[in-house]
């Protein structure tokens, strides 16, 4: 039996887009109604984010036309709703987490004395701001913030200014050695006390809020700690990486155009 094909009234070519879902994760995300977000600023390449992964959106041209039709069984006729010459392809890609650094570097936390000026002159970002701007899934964004030691301060995410974080860490280590603390058995409360005592001796005007100290300490541990009685597990890799970056980015070093041999860097890290 022959079948009729006709174009619908007011036909408009490329009114629809055909998306290829070639992984189970993408199929589940679309079929189960999970959150699917397309992100990108005006100059960005658009990406699609599920809850846990990021996909780049690519248009793929086809050599043959693809007819999107509906079937009317009463008159046994197919109605062409669209004539497509391309499809949309979704390919996994790395989350664009560098934007976290770009956004938060404008408002680095360097102590209580500079906060009033930062609040007046800098743009601050909440979690939902970052979620809408950074091209990453929610899970990837959270991992990126944690990896960078980002913390929330008065409703906005912040990063520590490197030299200020070094002062806090150096205060912790110096005072812990003076008190004879075992670094493998130190509690969060003891670590915060070490920083407070040493910093107060140097600068009694600096206000050291409890959650700022906790955020500092969590920058150097394997597992996040929140309660004062919890034992800290320092992460050697995080500490060595931070000290190396601090040394190589130290303004005094850059001003002198000084270059270090690898053994000199290692000696500094081991000394600390």
């Amino acid at each position: 039996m022959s079948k009729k094909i006709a174009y619908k009234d007011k036909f408009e070519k490329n009114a629809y887009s055909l998306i290829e879902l070639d992984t189970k994760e993408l199929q589940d995300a679309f079929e189960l109604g999970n959150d699917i977000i397309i992100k990108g600023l005006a100059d960005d390449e658009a990406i699609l984010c599920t809850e846990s992964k990021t996909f780049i959106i690519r248009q793929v041209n086809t050599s043959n036309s693809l007819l999107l039709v509906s079937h009317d069984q009463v008159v046994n006729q197919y109605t062409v709703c669209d004539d497509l010459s391309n499809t949309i392809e979704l390919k996994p890609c790395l989350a664009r987490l560098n934007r976290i650094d770009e956004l938060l570097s404008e408002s680095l936390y360097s102590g209580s004395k500079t906060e009033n000026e930062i609040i007046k002159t800098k743009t601050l970002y909440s979690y939902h701001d970052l979620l809408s701007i950074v091209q990453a899934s929610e899970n990837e964004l959270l991992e990126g913030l944690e990896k960078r030691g980002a913390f929330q301060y008065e409703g906005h995410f912040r990063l520590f200014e490197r030299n200020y974080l070094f002062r806090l860490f150096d205060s912790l280590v110096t005072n812990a050695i003076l008190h004879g603390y075992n670094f493998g058995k130190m509690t969060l409360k003891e670590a915060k006390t070490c920083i407070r005592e040493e910093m107060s001796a140097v600068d009694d005007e600096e206000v050291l809020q409890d959650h700022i100290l906790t955020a500092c300490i969590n920058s150097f541990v394997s597992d996040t700690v929140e309660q004062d009685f919890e034992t800290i597990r320092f992460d050697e890799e995080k500490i060595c990486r931070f000290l190396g970056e601090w040394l190589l980015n130290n303004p005094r070093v850059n001003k002198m155009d000084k270059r270090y041999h690898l053994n000199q860097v290692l000696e500094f890290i081991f000394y600390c």
Side-chain angles (χ1 to χ4, degrees):
M1 182 182 295
S2 62
K3 294 181 174 60
K4 298 178 180 178
I5 297 179
Y7 282 79
K8 72 173 185 177
D9 294 338
K10 298 181 180 179
F11 173 81
E12 183 180 350
K13 185 176 173 60
N14 292 324
Y16 294 85
S17 294
L18 187 63
I19 302 178
E20 182 180 354
L21 307 177
D22 59 357
T23 67
K24 188 176 186 306
E25 179 180 5
L26 282 171
Q27 294 167 14
D28 290 343
F30 276 82
E31 293 175 359
L32 299 178
N34 297 338
D35 287 341
I36 298 171
I37 304 173
I38 295 177
K39 295 184 179 183
L41 300 178
D43 297 329
D44 293 332
E45 185 175 25
I47 64 167
L48 180 143
C49 297
T50 64
E51 185 178 285
S52 59
K53 290 189 178 179
T54 301
F55 300 84
I56 195 166
I57 302 174
R58 292 277 170 78
Q59 178 176 293
V60 180
N61 295 326
T62 59
S63 56
N64 299 314
S65 293
L66 300 173
L67 298 181
L68 182 63
V69 302
S70 62
H71 184 216
D72 188 334
Q73 294 183 349
V74 177
V75 297
N76 193 28
Q77 176 177 292
Y78 289 92
T79 301
V80 178
C81 301
D82 204 347
D83 182 352
L84 303 175
S85 56
N86 56 68
T87 60
I88 302 298
E89 187 178 66
L90 303 176
K91 291 297 181 182
C93 67
L94 294 176
R96 314 290 172 79
L97 296 174
N98 287 343
R99 184 157 287 164
I100 295 176
D101 304 301
E102 295 172 8
L103 297 175
L104 299 189
S105 63
E106 300 178 3
S107 59
L108 297 175
Y109 186 87
S110 58
S112 59
K113 297 177 182 178
T114 60
E115 276 304 285
N116 288 335
E117 184 65 22
I118 287 178
I119 292 172
K120 292 178 182 178
T121 61
K122 304 298 181 182
T123 302
L124 302 176
Y125 298 91
S126 67
Y127 174 71
H128 291 291
D129 292 333
L130 295 176
L131 188 60
S132 64
I133 298 174
V134 178
Q135 291 183 294
S137 68
E138 185 165 9
N139 289 355
E140 290 168 326
L141 175 61
L142 289 171
E143 290 175 4
L145 290 170
E146 181 179 357
K147 182 178 179 181
R148 288 161 173 77
F151 60 96
Q152 289 198 66
Y153 180 66
E154 297 185 351
H156 301 98
F157 266 93
R158 306 286 292 277
L159 294 174
F160 282 109
E161 192 273 326
R162 186 180 282 112
N163 288 325
Y164 182 75
L165 184 57
F166 178 82
R167 285 178 59 199
L168 297 179
F169 180 71
D170 185 57
S171 297
L172 191 164
V173 174
T174 301
N175 221 17
I177 293 174
L178 291 176
H179 284 291
Y181 285 126
N182 184 334
F183 285 97
K185 298 180 180 179
M186 184 182 296
T187 65
L188 176 60
K189 182 177 182 180
E190 291 170 338
K192 289 190 292 188
T193 300
C194 286
I195 298 175
R196 277 201 176 95
E197 289 180 356
E198 186 67 19
M199 289 288 288
S200 297
V202 177
D203 185 355
D204 58 3
E205 294 183 1
E206 176 66 17
V207 178
L208 296 170
Q209 298 186 41
D210 197 72
H211 65 281
I212 295 293
L213 296 182
T214 300
C216 160
I217 294 164
N218 279 325
S219 298
F220 303 105
V221 301
S222 301
D223 301 307
T224 300
V225 290
E226 298 293 342
Q227 303 299 324
D228 282 348
F229 62 83
E230 291 184 82
T231 301
I232 296 170
R233 292 180 55 202
F234 286 104
D235 188 311
E236 293 182 3
E237 182 177 342
K238 287 184 179 179
I239 294 172
C240 290
R241 182 183 182 90
F242 170 74
L243 292 175
E245 290 177 346
W246 176 85
L247 176 65
L248 297 176
N249 287 278
N250 190 301
R252 288 178 295 179
V253 174
N254 293 336
K255 186 175 181 180
M256 295 185 294
D257 196 28
K258 185 174 177 60
R259 298 292 183 266
Y260 286 94
H261 292 293
L262 177 60
N263 61 335
Q264 291 177 298
V265 176
L266 295 177
E267 182 180 351
F268 168 78
I269 291 174
F270 290 141
Y271 174 77
C272 291

